[in-house]
Amino acid sequence: VAEHAIGIDLGGTFIKAGVVDRGGRVVSRVSVPTEVAQGTEAIIGRMAQAAQDARRLAGLGWDRVAAVGIGSPGALDLNEGVVLVSPNIACLEGRALAREVRQTLDVKQLAVTLENDANAAAYGEFWAGAGRDARALVLFTLGTGIGGGIVLDGRIWHGAHGFAGELGHMAIFADGLPCGCGNHGCVEVYASATGMVRRLVEAVRGGRPTRLAEAVRRGDAVRGRDIHEAALAGDALAREVIEETGRFLGIATTNVIHIFNPDLVLFAGGMTGAGNMLLDPIRQEARRRAFRAAFERVRLDFAKLGNDAGMIGAAGWALRTSATSAS
Ligand SMILES: [Zn+2]
Protein backbone atom coordinates (compact mmCIF):
# COMPACT_ATOMS: atom_id res chain seq x y z
CA VAL A 1 0.00 0.00 0.00
CA ALA A 2 1.01 3.56 -0.64
CA GLU A 3 1.33 4.74 2.93
CA HIS A 4 3.31 7.93 2.38
CA ALA A 5 2.95 11.29 0.72
CA ILE A 6 5.50 13.83 -0.40
CA GLY A 7 5.06 17.44 0.62
CA ILE A 8 6.73 20.20 -1.36
CA ASP A 9 6.92 23.61 0.29
CA LEU A 10 7.64 26.21 -2.38
CA GLY A 11 9.11 29.39 -0.94
CA GLY A 12 10.65 32.48 -2.48
CA THR A 13 14.10 31.41 -1.23
CA PHE A 14 13.97 27.62 -0.72
CA ILE A 15 12.09 24.62 -2.02
CA LYS A 16 11.63 22.02 0.70
CA ALA A 17 10.43 18.52 0.00
CA GLY A 18 9.87 15.63 2.37
CA VAL A 19 8.37 12.20 2.63
CA VAL A 20 5.72 12.09 5.34
CA ASP A 21 4.06 8.93 6.63
CA ARG A 22 0.37 8.49 7.44
CA GLY A 23 1.00 9.45 11.03
CA GLY A 24 2.37 12.83 9.98
CA ARG A 25 5.96 11.92 10.75
CA VAL A 26 8.70 13.26 8.47
CA VAL A 27 10.71 10.35 7.04
CA SER A 28 13.11 12.38 4.90
CA ARG A 29 13.64 15.99 3.93
CA VAL A 30 15.48 17.88 1.20
CA SER A 31 16.01 21.61 0.73
CA VAL A 32 17.23 23.35 -2.42
CA PRO A 33 17.38 27.03 -3.38
CA THR A 34 14.41 28.26 -5.44
CA GLU A 35 16.51 30.54 -7.69
CA VAL A 36 13.52 32.54 -8.87
CA ALA A 37 15.68 34.42 -11.38
CA GLN A 38 16.23 31.21 -13.38
CA GLY A 39 12.58 31.09 -14.33
CA THR A 40 9.64 28.74 -14.35
CA GLU A 41 11.05 25.61 -16.02
CA ALA A 42 14.04 25.58 -13.69
CA ILE A 43 11.83 26.00 -10.62
CA ILE A 44 9.46 23.21 -11.68
CA GLY A 45 12.44 20.98 -12.47
CA ARG A 46 13.93 21.60 -9.04
CA MET A 47 10.60 20.91 -7.31
CA ALA A 48 10.31 17.56 -9.09
CA GLN A 49 13.96 16.76 -8.38
CA ALA A 50 13.56 17.60 -4.69
CA ALA A 51 10.56 15.24 -4.52
CA GLN A 52 12.59 12.50 -6.22
CA ASP A 53 15.53 13.04 -3.87
CA ALA A 54 13.30 12.98 -0.79
CA ARG A 55 11.75 9.71 -1.99
CA ARG A 56 15.17 8.10 -2.62
CA LEU A 57 16.46 9.34 0.71
CA ALA A 58 13.50 7.63 2.39
CA GLY A 59 14.34 4.42 0.50
CA LEU A 60 10.88 4.15 -1.04
CA GLY A 61 9.63 3.29 -4.52
CA TRP A 62 6.88 5.36 -6.10
CA ASP A 63 4.48 2.50 -5.35
CA ARG A 64 4.75 3.50 -1.68
CA VAL A 65 3.83 7.14 -2.37
CA ALA A 66 0.12 7.90 -2.58
CA ALA A 67 0.28 11.57 -3.49
CA VAL A 68 2.37 14.69 -3.80
CA GLY A 69 1.13 17.92 -2.25
CA ILE A 70 2.55 21.31 -3.18
CA GLY A 71 2.23 24.27 -0.85
CA SER A 72 2.68 27.52 -2.75
CA PRO A 73 2.43 31.17 -1.79
CA GLY A 74 -0.06 33.38 -3.55
CA ALA A 75 -3.63 33.21 -4.80
CA LEU A 76 -4.32 29.87 -6.47
CA ASP A 77 -6.98 28.17 -8.55
CA LEU A 78 -7.12 25.03 -6.43
CA ASN A 79 -9.37 23.01 -8.71
CA GLU A 80 -7.12 23.52 -11.72
CA GLY A 81 -3.87 23.61 -9.71
CA VAL A 82 -2.96 26.94 -11.28
CA VAL A 83 -1.05 29.84 -9.70
CA LEU A 84 -3.08 33.02 -10.25
CA VAL A 85 -1.06 35.66 -8.39
CA SER A 86 2.29 35.16 -6.63
CA PRO A 87 4.17 38.40 -5.89
CA ASN A 88 7.43 36.71 -4.82
CA ILE A 89 7.55 34.11 -7.61
CA ALA A 90 5.80 36.07 -10.34
CA CYS A 91 7.07 33.87 -13.19
CA LEU A 92 4.73 31.10 -12.02
CA GLU A 93 1.59 33.17 -12.54
CA GLY A 94 -0.77 31.48 -14.96
CA ARG A 95 1.10 28.19 -14.78
CA ALA A 96 -0.60 24.87 -14.02
CA LEU A 97 1.93 24.04 -11.32
CA ALA A 98 0.40 20.76 -10.14
CA ARG A 99 0.08 19.35 -13.65
CA GLU A 100 3.56 20.47 -14.69
CA VAL A 101 5.22 18.94 -11.65
CA ARG A 102 3.26 15.73 -12.27
CA GLN A 103 4.38 15.64 -15.91
CA THR A 104 7.99 16.25 -14.90
CA LEU A 105 7.87 13.44 -12.34
CA ASP A 106 6.18 11.22 -14.94
CA VAL A 107 4.77 8.67 -12.50
CA LYS A 108 1.57 6.94 -13.55
CA GLN A 109 -1.53 7.49 -11.41
CA LEU A 110 0.31 9.86 -9.07
CA ALA A 111 -2.00 12.54 -7.67
CA VAL A 112 -0.34 15.96 -7.41
CA THR A 113 -2.30 18.67 -5.62
CA LEU A 114 -1.74 22.37 -5.09
CA GLU A 115 -2.55 24.19 -1.86
CA ASN A 116 -1.87 27.63 -0.45
CA ASP A 117 1.22 27.49 1.79
CA ALA A 118 -0.41 29.01 4.88
CA ASN A 119 -3.45 26.72 4.50
CA ALA A 120 -1.03 23.81 4.27
CA ALA A 121 0.76 24.95 7.43
CA ALA A 122 -2.56 25.19 9.28
CA TYR A 123 -3.51 21.69 8.16
CA GLY A 124 -0.06 20.42 9.17
CA GLU A 125 -0.54 21.77 12.69
CA PHE A 126 -4.01 20.21 12.83
CA TRP A 127 -2.77 16.86 11.54
CA ALA A 128 0.56 16.48 13.31
CA GLY A 129 1.32 19.54 15.41
CA ALA A 130 -0.23 21.74 18.07
CA GLY A 131 -3.81 21.33 16.90
CA ARG A 132 -4.53 17.62 16.83
CA ASP A 133 -7.93 17.67 18.48
CA ALA A 134 -9.04 21.10 17.37
CA ARG A 135 -12.49 21.40 15.87
CA ALA A 136 -11.94 24.95 14.63
CA LEU A 137 -8.30 25.94 14.22
CA VAL A 138 -7.06 29.28 12.93
CA LEU A 139 -3.35 29.84 12.24
CA PHE A 140 -1.57 33.17 11.82
CA THR A 141 1.81 32.98 10.05
CA LEU A 142 3.95 35.90 11.19
CA GLY A 143 6.84 36.87 8.95
CA THR A 144 7.65 39.66 6.51
CA GLY A 145 3.90 39.51 5.86
CA ILE A 146 1.05 37.88 7.77
CA GLY A 147 -0.71 34.88 6.28
CA GLY A 148 -3.37 32.62 7.62
CA GLY A 149 -5.05 29.27 7.37
CA ILE A 150 -8.34 27.93 8.70
CA VAL A 151 -9.14 24.28 9.44
CA LEU A 152 -12.77 23.53 10.34
CA ASP A 153 -13.96 20.04 11.26
CA GLY A 154 -10.73 18.58 9.94
CA ARG A 155 -10.84 20.27 6.54
CA ILE A 156 -9.09 23.32 5.17
CA TRP A 157 -11.66 26.09 4.78
CA HIS A 158 -11.08 27.50 1.30
CA GLY A 159 -14.10 29.76 0.96
CA ALA A 160 -16.16 29.77 -2.20
CA HIS A 161 -13.24 30.37 -4.57
CA GLY A 162 -10.15 29.34 -2.64
CA PHE A 163 -9.16 32.75 -1.31
CA ALA A 164 -10.20 32.39 2.34
CA GLY A 165 -7.83 32.85 5.24
CA GLU A 166 -6.18 36.15 4.34
CA LEU A 167 -5.91 37.04 8.00
CA GLY A 168 -3.13 39.58 7.44
CA HIS A 169 -5.44 41.78 5.44
CA MET A 170 -8.10 42.32 8.03
CA ALA A 171 -8.10 46.02 8.81
CA ILE A 172 -7.57 47.03 12.42
CA PHE A 173 -7.57 50.81 11.78
CA ALA A 174 -10.24 52.65 9.80
CA ASP A 175 -7.81 55.24 8.39
CA GLY A 176 -4.64 53.23 8.70
CA LEU A 177 -1.62 53.08 6.45
CA PRO A 178 -2.04 51.75 2.91
CA CYS A 179 -1.29 48.07 2.35
CA GLY A 180 0.08 46.41 -0.78
CA CYS A 181 -3.25 44.62 -1.15
CA GLY A 182 -5.13 47.88 -1.80
CA ASN A 183 -6.78 48.05 1.62
CA HIS A 184 -5.80 50.44 4.43
CA GLY A 185 -4.91 49.66 8.02
CA CYS A 186 -4.32 45.94 7.51
CA VAL A 187 -2.89 44.14 10.55
CA GLU A 188 0.00 43.02 8.31
CA VAL A 189 1.13 46.63 7.90
CA TYR A 190 1.50 46.97 11.69
CA ALA A 191 2.18 43.56 13.15
CA SER A 192 4.30 41.69 10.60
CA ALA A 193 8.06 41.64 11.23
CA THR A 194 8.32 44.36 8.59
CA GLY A 195 5.66 46.45 10.34
CA MET A 196 7.24 45.95 13.75
CA VAL A 197 10.67 47.06 12.50
CA ARG A 198 9.11 50.07 10.74
CA ARG A 199 7.41 51.19 13.96
CA LEU A 200 10.71 50.91 15.83
CA VAL A 201 12.53 52.93 13.16
CA GLU A 202 9.84 55.62 13.30
CA ALA A 203 10.19 55.84 17.07
CA VAL A 204 13.97 56.21 16.77
CA ARG A 205 13.55 58.99 14.21
CA GLY A 206 11.12 60.60 16.65
CA GLY A 207 13.93 60.76 19.18
CA ARG A 208 13.14 57.76 21.41
CA PRO A 209 16.28 56.32 23.00
CA THR A 210 17.09 52.66 22.37
CA ARG A 211 20.19 50.53 22.06
CA LEU A 212 19.15 49.93 18.44
CA ALA A 213 19.31 53.66 17.60
CA GLU A 214 22.87 53.49 16.28
CA ALA A 215 22.03 50.59 13.95
CA VAL A 216 18.97 52.47 12.67
CA ARG A 217 20.99 55.64 12.03
CA ARG A 218 23.66 53.64 10.19
CA GLY A 219 20.90 52.24 8.02
CA ASP A 220 21.60 48.64 9.08
CA ALA A 221 18.85 46.12 8.47
CA VAL A 222 17.19 45.67 11.87
CA ARG A 223 15.39 42.33 12.20
CA GLY A 224 12.61 41.20 14.47
CA ARG A 225 15.16 39.09 16.34
CA ASP A 226 17.29 42.14 17.06
CA ILE A 227 14.29 43.86 18.64
CA HIS A 228 13.59 40.81 20.77
CA GLU A 229 17.21 40.58 21.90
CA ALA A 230 17.26 44.28 22.78
CA ALA A 231 14.03 43.85 24.75
CA LEU A 232 15.51 40.92 26.67
CA ALA A 233 18.52 43.09 27.50
CA GLY A 234 16.21 45.66 29.08
CA ASP A 235 15.56 48.03 26.17
CA ALA A 236 12.26 49.77 26.97
CA LEU A 237 11.39 50.83 23.42
CA ALA A 238 12.08 47.39 22.00
CA ARG A 239 9.83 45.81 24.60
CA GLU A 240 7.14 48.39 23.95
CA VAL A 241 7.24 47.73 20.20
CA ILE A 242 6.87 43.96 20.70
CA GLU A 243 4.04 44.37 23.21
CA GLU A 244 2.24 46.76 20.87
CA THR A 245 2.65 44.18 18.10
CA GLY A 246 1.00 41.67 20.43
CA ARG A 247 -1.88 44.08 21.07
CA PHE A 248 -2.45 44.54 17.33
CA LEU A 249 -2.44 40.77 16.89
CA GLY A 250 -4.81 40.52 19.84
CA ILE A 251 -7.31 42.75 18.02
CA ALA A 252 -7.07 40.53 14.93
CA THR A 253 -7.41 37.47 17.15
CA THR A 254 -10.54 38.91 18.74
CA ASN A 255 -12.10 39.28 15.28
CA VAL A 256 -11.19 35.68 14.51
CA ILE A 257 -12.71 34.53 17.81
CA HIS A 258 -15.94 36.35 17.03
CA ILE A 259 -16.20 34.96 13.50
CA PHE A 260 -15.12 31.34 14.01
CA ASN A 261 -15.55 30.55 17.71
CA PRO A 262 -12.30 28.55 17.43
CA ASP A 263 -10.99 26.19 20.09
CA LEU A 264 -7.44 26.97 18.97
CA VAL A 265 -5.68 30.00 17.48
CA LEU A 266 -2.03 29.40 16.65
CA PHE A 267 0.81 31.74 15.79
CA ALA A 268 3.70 30.54 13.61
CA GLY A 269 6.76 32.06 11.97
CA GLY A 270 10.02 33.69 12.95
CA MET A 271 8.42 36.36 15.13
CA THR A 272 7.20 33.73 17.59
CA GLY A 273 10.80 33.58 18.85
CA ALA A 274 9.75 36.53 21.04
CA GLY A 275 7.80 34.01 23.11
CA ASN A 276 5.58 35.23 25.92
CA MET A 277 6.67 38.80 25.38
CA LEU A 278 4.50 38.58 22.26
CA LEU A 279 1.92 36.00 23.34
CA ASP A 280 0.96 37.60 26.68
CA PRO A 281 -0.26 40.89 25.15
CA ILE A 282 -2.12 38.92 22.46
CA ARG A 283 -3.96 37.06 25.22
CA GLN A 284 -4.53 40.19 27.29
CA GLU A 285 -5.97 42.13 24.38
CA ALA A 286 -8.25 39.28 23.32
CA ARG A 287 -9.39 38.77 26.92
CA ARG A 288 -10.23 42.47 27.16
CA ARG A 289 -12.17 42.54 23.87
CA ALA A 290 -13.67 39.15 23.05
CA PHE A 291 -16.99 37.64 24.15
CA ARG A 292 -16.16 36.08 27.47
CA ALA A 293 -17.79 32.73 26.79
CA ALA A 294 -15.80 32.36 23.58
CA PHE A 295 -12.53 33.62 25.04
CA GLU A 296 -12.73 31.22 27.99
CA ARG A 297 -12.96 28.30 25.59
CA VAL A 298 -10.20 29.19 23.13
CA ARG A 299 -6.52 28.35 23.46
CA LEU A 300 -4.09 30.91 22.05
CA ASP A 301 -0.70 29.35 21.52
CA PHE A 302 2.35 28.95 19.31
CA ALA A 303 2.48 26.44 16.48
CA LYS A 304 4.73 23.39 16.98
CA LEU A 305 6.03 22.23 13.62
CA GLY A 306 8.23 25.22 12.75
CA ASN A 307 9.48 25.31 9.19
CA ASP A 308 8.14 21.81 8.49
CA ALA A 309 4.46 22.76 8.92
CA GLY A 310 3.82 23.67 5.27
CA MET A 311 5.59 20.58 3.95
CA ILE A 312 3.84 18.22 6.40
CA GLY A 313 0.46 19.84 5.80
CA ALA A 314 0.80 19.78 2.00
CA ALA A 315 1.58 16.06 2.24
CA GLY A 316 -1.26 15.39 4.69
CA TRP A 317 -3.85 17.30 2.69
CA ALA A 318 -2.72 15.53 -0.50
CA LEU A 319 -3.12 12.18 1.27
CA ARG A 320 -6.57 13.14 2.47
CA THR A 321 -7.84 14.50 -0.84
CA SER A 322 -6.34 11.66 -2.90
CA ALA A 323 -8.05 9.14 -0.60
CA THR A 324 -11.33 11.01 -0.98
CA SER A 325 -11.19 11.17 -4.76
CA ALA A 326 -10.22 7.50 -5.04
CA SER A 327 -13.17 6.32 -2.93
ZN1 LIG B 1 -3.70 44.34 3.13
Side-chain angles (χ1 to χ4, degrees):
V1 263
E3 68 275 48
H4 299 82
I6 296 176
I8 303 175
D9 183 13
L10 173 63
T13 314
F14 288 101
I15 297 164
K16 281 172 288 178
V19 171
V20 182
D21 71 14
R22 282 195 182 272
R25 287 171 292 266
V26 177
V27 181
S28 68
R29 58 162 81 62
V30 169
S31 179
V32 293
T34 310
E35 310 274 16
V36 173
Q38 291 180 11
T40 315
E41 268 64 35
I43 294 172
I44 289 169
R46 262 195 298 281
M47 289 170 72
Q49 190 60 50
Q52 286 281 19
D53 292 346
R55 180 188 59 78
R56 278 198 208 98
L57 201 58
L60 300 174
W62 278 113
D63 59 317
R64 308 271 302 278
V65 179
V68 174
I70 302 166
S72 165
L76 315 169
D77 181 332
L78 299 170
N79 290 328
E80 302 297 326
V82 174
V83 178
L84 299 175
V85 183
S86 189
N88 293 326
I89 318 177
C91 63
L92 290 179
E93 291 181 3
R95 301 296 287 252
L97 198 55
R99 181 165 51 82
E100 295 192 46
V101 168
R102 195 172 69 82
Q103 283 167 352
T104 308
L105 285 170
D106 196 22
V107 180
K108 255 184 200 163
Q109 310 289 344
L110 184 70
V112 180
T113 60
L114 184 65
E115 184 51 71
N116 171 272
D117 55 354
N119 288 351
Y123 190 76
E125 291 292 340
F126 165 77
W127 186 44
R132 279 170 195 244
D133 297 316
R135 174 121 191 251
L137 180 160
V138 179
L139 171 81
F140 285 87
T141 59
L142 310 175
T144 53
I146 294 181
I150 301 157
V151 179
L152 304 177
D153 293 326
R155 301 184 59 88
I156 295 174
W157 175 254
H158 290 114
H161 306 107
F163 310 142
E166 290 296 346
L167 304 181
H169 300 288
M170 82 174 95
I172 58 169
F173 293 107
D175 298 305
L177 294 166
C179 177
C181 73
N183 196 356
H184 290 257
C186 292
V187 65
E188 170 172 300
V189 177
Y190 296 89
S192 63
T194 319
M196 185 169 77
V197 168
R198 195 201 59 247
R199 288 188 288 108
L200 179 104
V201 168
E202 281 165 4
V204 170
R205 296 208 173 116
R208 290 285 305 275
T210 164
R211 66 185 65 210
L212 293 167
E214 192 49 41
V216 170
R217 271 185 220 108
R218 277 199 310 264
D220 292 356
V222 176
R223 300 159 304 168
R225 216 176 72 197
D226 301 323
I227 299 178
H228 181 225
E229 277 168 13
L232 284 178
D235 192 276
L237 177 65
R239 175 174 280 273
E240 188 182 306
V241 164
I242 291 174
E243 290 178 348
E244 191 180 45
T245 303
R247 286 205 302 280
F248 293 148
L249 291 170
I251 297 172
T253 300
T254 302
N255 296 337
V256 158
I257 289 172
H258 288 157
I259 296 167
F260 293 103
N261 178 27
D263 42 0
L264 184 61
V265 178
L266 292 174
F267 301 89
M271 282 172 64
T272 59
N276 285 339
M277 202 183 292
L278 183 69
L279 193 55
D280 286 346
I282 293 175
R283 287 175 171 151
Q284 280 159 21
E285 195 66 23
R287 181 184 295 115
R288 208 163 67 75
R289 290 174 178 260
F291 286 178
R292 204 169 123 193
F295 179 79
E296 283 172 349
R297 290 166 178 81
V298 64
R299 187 158 66 89
L300 311 181
D301 210 343
F302 290 128
K304 265 192 190 161
L305 299 177
N307 288 331
D308 282 344
M311 182 183 85
I312 293 172
W317 187 245
L319 263 182
R320 188 192 160 125
T321 51
S322 69
T324 310
S325 57
S327 62

